[in-house]
Amino acid sequence: MSLLDWRSPEHFDHTGDQPCVICTKPTPLRSERGKPVHKVCAEEWIDAHTTKEADR
């Protein structure tokens, strides 16, 4: 499983929650591109959409 390091303050939006682009539940977290997304949702999406060496 992918583990993202979101300890950086850029990943927290103090202006308020917005719906996660994956699960639609509110979150103050933002991706590196500024999209509202929970860290767990982002990690699960990465795992589901990444080709693994064994899968080739």
Side-chain angles (χ1 to χ4, degrees), residues 3-38:
L3 294 176
L4 299 171
D5 181 0
W6 280 14
R7 290 179 280 185
S8 173
E10 299 99 47
H11 292 289
F12 188 84
D13 187 350
H14 294 281
T15 63
D17 290 355
Q18 291 193 9
C20 173
V21 295
I22 297 173
C23 75
T24 70
K25 294 179 183 174
T27 181
L29 298 176
R30 302 294 182 262
S31 70
E32 290 187 7
R33 294 184 178 177
K35 303 288 184 186
V37 63
H38 296 104

Side-chain angles (χ1 to χ4, degrees), residues 45-56:
W45 189 93
I46 290 168
D47 283 344
H49 294 88
T50 301
T51 304
K52 308 242 183 334
E53 188 68 31
D55 295 339
R56 292 183 188 183

